[in-house]
Amino acid sequence: MNKVKHYLFIVLILVTAACTDGRIYEDFHSLPNQNWSITDSLVFDLQDVELINTPDLVAVKFNEEYAFSNCYMRVISKDSAGVILDNKLVNLILFDPKSGEPLGEGFGNSYTRYDTLPFLFDQNTKTVTLLQYMRQDLLPGVEAVGIKILK
């Protein structure tokens, strides 16, 4: 019986090690009432993150109330003195243009869509701010927005 427990413990460790996705940072900001306002500045603190030239991802958690096929957002990175290093407009496609099916992972009526940013954060980046840049002041159906930095 001890051998079985020992093997199960080893299998558990191997499965846990295999499930790590190689991220060095991931954080989401939940939005009140699942609405992303044009005035909401979502700031991510990267003071303790060592940035290396690896892919950076942006993510949107959305539900069936979201009325658009995409989401434009402004990605602003700043250094420790608050100087803007980058200010880019990103178009995140949330629904397949042909079928209308939601892209990303999810269940029920909630989905999370990750997409690689078309640029890398500067090595001196200490904060990243995300702003919604749609033609509507309030975006219903956006549950949370986040960033993920891979190894």
Side-chain angles (χ1 to χ4, degrees), residues 26-140:
E26 183 173 22
D27 192 20
F28 278 87
H29 288 286
S30 295
L31 296 165
N33 301 319
Q34 299 179 355
N35 288 298
W36 192 4
S37 172
I38 200 163
T39 59
D40 290 337
S41 297
L42 307 178
V43 180
F44 299 88
D45 183 10
L46 302 179
Q47 296 288 337
D48 299 327
V49 178
E50 183 180 338
L51 295 173
I52 52 179
N53 290 327
T54 59
D56 304 315
L57 307 172
V58 65
V60 174
K61 291 183 180 181
F62 62 100
N63 60 39
E64 64 188 13
E65 291 183 38
Y66 191 75
F68 302 99
S69 64
N70 65 336
C71 182
Y72 283 102
M73 66 180 72
R74 179 88 35 205
V75 180
I76 303 168
S77 63
K78 296 180 183 178
D79 67 8
S80 58
V83 175
I84 294 175
L85 301 172
D86 244 330
N87 185 347
K88 304 275 187 180
L89 184 64
V90 174
N91 181 17
L92 182 62
I93 306 298
L94 300 178
F95 292 87
D96 184 272
K98 292 183 180 178
S99 70
E101 292 294 316
L103 301 172
E105 300 293 320
F107 58 92
N109 70 345
S110 185
Y111 297 90
T112 303
R113 170 80 162 120
Y114 286 91
D115 200 5
T116 305
L117 291 172
F119 59 91
L120 297 175
F121 291 133
D122 185 283
Q123 303 250 335
N124 296 321
T125 299
K126 296 302 177 191
T127 63
V128 173
T129 303
L130 300 180
L131 305 165
Q132 69 100 332
Y133 221 69
M134 299 292 283
R135 292 183 178 156
Q136 189 169 315
D137 289 349
L138 196 62
L139 293 179

